[in-house]
Amino acid sequence: MVSGSCRAGDAGAQEILGMFHAGGRGIAQSHAEAVKWYRAAAVQGKASAQFFLGGMYAEGQGVPQDPAKAHLWFNLAAANRLTAFDAAGQRNEIAANMTSEALAAAQARASACMSSGYQDCD
């Protein structure tokens, strides 16, 4: 049922399937699959999926560790007023370890991503 909703583009179902894959709940754990489903929900503007995707980039789970991409997704989650998790705090923690040039580039990417309706995020 969840996978059918995922294929139909239901962002909430996609995020849940990402969580199942990330935690190995009822299915084989696969961080790469978790990233796939988090991204599918994140590009639809689902702030919590953006937060979880940022975490995957921050930790290098299912994707190469990439502080700039982690910052981008945490930044988007914070911009989308995610309050259940500390997206702004996670973004700021990542930013504290970035050069000013890398930070400016990550902020520009987040702006371009948001301006494009999440179609230009990579």
Side-chain angles (χ1 to χ4, degrees), residues 3-27:
S3 63
S5 296
C6 289
R7 285 190 295 275
D10 182 316
Q14 291 168 335
E15 178 184 30
I16 289 169
L17 190 55
M19 290 159 105
F20 286 170
H21 279 291
R25 296 184 197 125
I27 54 179

Side-chain angles (χ1 to χ4, degrees), residues 2-3 5-19 21 31-54 56-57 63 73 113 117-119 121-122:
V2 170
S3 63
S5 296
C6 289
R7 285 190 295 275
D10 182 316
Q14 291 168 335
E15 178 184 30
I16 289 169
L17 190 55
M19 290 159 105
H21 279 291
H31 291 130
E33 280 295 304
V35 166
K36 170 186 162 182
W37 292 111
Y38 287 151
R39 181 181 308 281
V43 299
Q44 293 182 67
K46 182 111 173 103
S48 49
Q50 293 167 341
F51 177 84
F52 293 137
L53 186 56
M56 301 301 274
Y57 279 108
V63 290
W73 290 109
C113 176
Y118 306 106
Q119 299 309 300
C121 297
D122 287 315

